[in-house]
């Protein structure tokens, strides 16, 4: 890192990119290690069909991680996505009720519903100035309770086969892979879209907002709009994830439970710093794959699924601790870009 | 600062590899986590196990077409001390643990319909309900509120947990009104009657015995469990362990699923990648269909499977002509407490411990039950026992 520093001072905008790619490399390495351990347990894992079934299982988490990434990188949280996924699947099952002709209208409704929930989250956070952890905690409880109330406590109805195609089906007869799941294609497209978006001017505004929203506002970013859009994107991603999850396994009462924390775990594992401003979307996606691979590994090792929350908790703490260790190195650098802060200036000067 | 980073990453990698190695070792010795077929002492009572298995074959007393009024080996007790002058004016209060799963939702609808029928017949008056959302503290205060209000002439309790709720049930008893407890029990016999189906051991054994009878020796069976530590579910697994222990089946292992379809499908898919699965034992039917879909998606033949009398599973069973059984935790038990309360208020005798029949759905009884429930949603339970109530079938269809 120290070798890149002089260069960074000359072209400040390069600096974030170089340190972020470091985070991406870390999570990619971790993913490779987890995959390697899985391979020792289950050599057939890397034959086509098992790998595709892993991809199908991981796709919804990838989407949720992308959505969560937008929100976290802008300096906020979205705790409502798990509840939103659950609500979407339950609503879809009840409205479709096994009738294939209602599939498309209900899909459209789900997307709109996701966008509206995201918009409400965003506006409450930015306009009413409610901290997002509270806003989305509230949305999570509201959705959870409303769906319980609406269904009388447990879901009813049934999804149509057409609805389930995206989460369950795929393109048949692909050499080696057997079946190429639609879920994988959707997740890959979403990843590509997210990478493109982060390279656009919106992505730069989002990153700047998360890094320092005051500075971003001074430089002409409409912070409230950028953040609200991040929540809307998260709601959209949750809707698509709901289509995939509902398609994958049908409707059960527990669908969506705890997904928000799995998504946050994935994003944090990808080295995206809570509080915003740092991390790449590719790292978040790799984080999602790593979390899913870890869960797969636990199954291979016959660890009970009940230990998963514990592991998630350890990952969150370890990943943040690790990231902040890296942050120690850079903190003075970052502070030097904000002159005028009396307590920070001496530190920066002494480092020079 | 570079060194610690590398060290950290290295340590993480090493930990993973090591965990892989230890996993290997234990796999070699025991092939998974299910090979231990000795039930945990905490969850296994040989005497109770034997009693439940015997109760399955005892002809219950009571009308044959009303299983919710039947009782196995009842000891009738006198309730004349509770007789109410005008039962049509009596307020019955119900403290519900929750309606947090489809089984409880189905049961609660049946109970409400039974209440309406009794109210129309003038056999009970007002019916007050509190729902504790699976929270012990909430239920304790719910019961206290019933007692403090002084409005209740009979209190029905469906406890959320056994030990914690015992003092609350005692409080209700001490208030001087008759108390009816059903579903999960408590550690006191102060209630006038305790209503429950035969129990978890019988459920788990029904399922396990079917797998043992239907599968060739040496067949591989995967057990799917919802979560640990819940007595009714632990009893089912303990009974299955006991039955499997005496058999020649190979139990691959058990997995906790939270009853979540996505998890079930993922877990079953992973087991299928690593070897044949000939049979699936489940401690509850939630998500059974998702488990079967894993076989479809892997292009493999369906296993012999034990589910539950939940309609999504029973319909799949019929459509695909599976070799299956649906053990039952009698949902119609939700009717009985209201009927018992009204009997007590009229001074009629009730069984001290009211053991309801609990008969698994087999291939012979399946089609008839599906016929009766044809309009019902997929998360409805076939043996809900409300076919003769005035709200049938709309009340259960439009939930």
């Amino acid at each position: 890192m120290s070798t890149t520093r002089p260069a960074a001072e000359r072209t400040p905008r390069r600096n974030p990119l170089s340190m972020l790619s470091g985070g991406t490399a870390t999570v990619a390495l971790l993913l490779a290690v987890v995959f390697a351990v899985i391979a020792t347990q289950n050599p057939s894992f890397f034959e086509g069909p098992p790998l595709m079934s892993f991809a199908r299982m991981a796709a919804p988490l990838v989407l949720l991680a992308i959505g969560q990434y937008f929100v976290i990188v802008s300096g906020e949280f979205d705790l409502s996505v798990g509840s939103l996924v659950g609500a979407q699947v339950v609503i879809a099952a009840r409205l479709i009720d096994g009738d294939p002709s209602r599939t498309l209208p209900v899909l459209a409704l789900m997307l709109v519903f996701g966008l509206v929930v995201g918009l409400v989250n965003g506006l409450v956070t930015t306009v009413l100035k409610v901290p997002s952890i509270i806003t989305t905690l509230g949305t999570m409880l509201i959705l959870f309770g409303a769906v319980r109330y609406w269904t009388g406590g447990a879901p009813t109805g049934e999804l149509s086969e057409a609805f389930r195609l995206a989460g369950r089906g795929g393109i048949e007869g692909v050499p080696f892979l057997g079946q190429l799941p639609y879920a994988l294609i959707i997740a890959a497209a979403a990843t590509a879209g997210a990478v493109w978006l982060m390279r656009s001017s919106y992505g730069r505004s989002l990153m700047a907002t998360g890094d320092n929203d005051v500075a971003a506002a001074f430089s002409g970013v409409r912070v409230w709009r950028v953040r609200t859009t991040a929540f809307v994107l998260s709601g959209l991603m949750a809707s698509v994830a709901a289509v995939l999850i509902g398609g994958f396994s049908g409707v059960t009462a527990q669908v969506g439970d705890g997904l928000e924390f799995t998504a946050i775990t994935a994003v944090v594992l990808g080295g995206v710093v809570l509080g915003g401003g740092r991390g790449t979307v590719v790292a978040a996606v790799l984080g999602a794959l790593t979390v899913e691979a870890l869960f797969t590994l636990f199954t291979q090792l016959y660890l009970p699924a009940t230990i998963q929350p514990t592991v998630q908790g350890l990952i969150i703490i370890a990943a943040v601790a690790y990231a902040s260790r890296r942050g120690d190195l850079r903190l003075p650098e970052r502070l030097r870009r904000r002159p005028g802060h009396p307590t920070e200036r001496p530190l920066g000067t002494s480092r020079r | 600062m570079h060194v610690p980073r590398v060290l950290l990453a290295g340590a993480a990698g090493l930990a993973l590899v090591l965990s892989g190695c230890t996993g290997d070792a234990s796999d070699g010795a025991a092939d998974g986590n299910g090979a231990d077929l000795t039930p945990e002492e905490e969850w296994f009572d040989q005497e109770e196990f034997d009693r439940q298995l015997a109760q399955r074959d005892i002809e219950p007393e009571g009308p044959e077409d009303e299983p919710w009024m039947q009782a196995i080996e009842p000891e009738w007790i006198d309730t004349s001390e509770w007789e109410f002058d005008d039962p049509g004016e009596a307020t019955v209060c119900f403290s519900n643990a929750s309606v947090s799963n489809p089984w409880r939702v189905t049961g609660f609808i049946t109970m409400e319909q039974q209440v309406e029928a009794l109210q129309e017949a003038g056999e009970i008056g007002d019916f007050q309900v509190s729902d504790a959302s699976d929270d012990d503290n909430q239920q304790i205060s719910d019961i206290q509120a019933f007692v403090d209000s002084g409005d209740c002439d009979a209190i029905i309790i469906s406890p959320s947990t056994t030990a914690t709720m015992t003092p609350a049930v005692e409080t209700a008893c001490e208030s001087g009104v008759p108390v009816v407890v059903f579903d999960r029990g408590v550690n006191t016999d102060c209630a006038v009657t305790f209503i429950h189906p035969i129990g978890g051991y019988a459920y788990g054994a029904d399922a396990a015995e079917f797998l043992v009878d239907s599968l060739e020796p040496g067949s591989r069976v995967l057990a799917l469990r919802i979560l640990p530590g819940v007595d009714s579910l632990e009893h089912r697994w303990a009974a299955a362990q006991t039955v499997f222990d005496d058999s020649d089946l190979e139990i691959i292992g058990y997995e906790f699923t939270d009853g979540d379809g996505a998890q079930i499908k993922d877990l079953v898919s992973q087991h299928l990648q690593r070897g044949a699965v000939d049979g699936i034992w489940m401690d509850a039917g939630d998500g059974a269909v998702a488990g079967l879909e894993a076989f479809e998606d892997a292009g493999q033949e369906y296993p012999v499977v034990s589910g539950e009398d939940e309609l999504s599973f029973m319909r799949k069973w019929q459509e695909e002509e599976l070799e299956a059984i649906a053990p039952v935790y009698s949902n119609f038990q939700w009717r009985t407490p209201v009927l018992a309360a009204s009997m007590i208020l009229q001074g009629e005798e009730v069984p001290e411990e009211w053991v309801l029949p609990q008969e698994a759905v087999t291939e012979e009884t399946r089609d008839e039950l599906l016929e009766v429930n044809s309009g019902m949603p997929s998360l409805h339970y076939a043996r809900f026992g409300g076919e003769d109530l005035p709200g049938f079938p709309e009340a259960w269809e439009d939930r």
Side-chain angles (χ1 to χ4, degrees), chain A residues 131-316:
Chain A
S132 61
I133 199 159
I134 303 297
T135 311
T136 55
L137 182 69
T139 320
M140 168 173 130
L141 294 173
I142 290 169
L143 287 173
F144 183 78
V147 166
R148 291 266 153 145
Y149 177 75
W150 188 52
T151 59
T156 55
E158 202 181 334
L159 300 168
S160 62
E161 281 305 312
F163 182 96
R164 299 198 51 189
L165 197 64
R168 210 186 159 193
I171 298 168
E172 297 289 345
V174 178
F176 179 68
L177 299 179
Q179 187 202 48
L180 184 64
Y182 294 131
L184 175 60
I185 300 171
I186 292 171
T191 308
V195 168
W196 172 80
L197 192 62
M198 288 315 289
R199 289 186 175 180
S200 71
S201 64
Y202 172 75
R204 284 195 292 275
S205 306
L206 190 67
M207 191 67 91
T209 302
D211 194 23
N212 185 338
D213 53 1
V214 178
F218 277 131
S219 64
V221 174
R222 269 184 262 186
V223 168
W224 73 271
R225 214 164 73 176
V226 165
R227 282 201 168 131
T228 305
T229 312
F231 280 104
V232 171
L233 285 170
S234 175
L236 176 70
M237 286 296 156
S239 303
V240 182
V243 174
L244 293 187
I245 291 175
F248 178 67
S249 57
V251 55
T252 44
Q254 290 75 13
V255 59
D257 278 6
L259 274 180
E260 60 282 330
F261 292 114
T262 316
I264 291 175
T265 310
V267 172
V268 167
L269 190 60
V272 179
V273 177
L274 299 181
R278 301 231 197 107
T280 68
V281 69
V282 172
V285 169
L286 291 175
L289 293 176
T290 309
V291 168
E292 198 62 50
L294 272 173
F295 290 161
T296 302
L297 179 61
F298 293 161
T299 314
Q300 310 274 353
L301 297 176
Y302 291 101
L303 286 180
T306 34
I307 198 110
Q308 284 187 4
T310 310
V311 174
Q312 264 173 255
L314 289 173
I315 291 176
I316 291 185

Side-chain angles (χ1 to χ4, degrees), chain B residues 129-201:
Chain B
V129 185
S130 62
D131 184 324
S133 309
D134 291 317
D135 179 347
D136 286 346
N137 292 322
Q138 178 65 42
Q139 191 165 25
I140 289 168
S141 74
D142 285 348
I143 293 172
Q144 190 64 50
F146 278 150
V147 170
D148 293 343
S149 75
D151 293 339
C152 305
D153 299 307
I155 299 179
I156 299 171
I157 299 170
S158 173
S160 58
T161 56
T162 299
T164 321
M165 290 315 297
T166 300
V169 172
E170 281 168 346
T171 309
C173 294
E174 282 158 17
S175 76
V177 298
V179 173
V180 175
V181 174
F182 79 100
D183 184 20
R184 300 166 199 156
V186 282
N187 299 325
T188 167
D189 57 2
C190 77
V192 180
T193 176
F194 168 38
I195 299 163
H196 63 94
I198 296 174
Y201 293 125

Side-chain angles (χ1 to χ4, degrees), chain A residues 1 41-42 50 53 57 94 152-157 164 168 248-249 252 254 296-297 299-300 302 305-306 322 325, chain B residues 2 4-5 8 20 27 32 99 102 105 228 256 258-259 261-262 265-267 270 273-274 293 296-297 378-379 399:
Chain A
M1 270 304 150
Q41 293 294 303
N42 177 12
S53 109
M57 185 66 196
R94 176 149 182 182
T156 55
R164 299 198 51 189
R168 210 186 159 193
F248 178 67
S249 57
T252 44
Q254 290 75 13
T296 302
L297 179 61
T299 314
Q300 310 274 353
Y302 291 101
T306 34
Y322 178 68
R325 256 190 101 75
Chain B
H2 272 248
R5 266 186 76 184
L8 271 174
D27 270 9
V99 284
V105 173
F256 292 116
D258 279 339
K265 194 165 174 184
D266 183 39
L267 290 165
Q270 290 192 39
Q273 287 167 22
R274 286 186 294 170
E293 282 179 1
E296 290 173 13
D297 292 359
S378 45
L379 297 175
R399 50 181 77 180

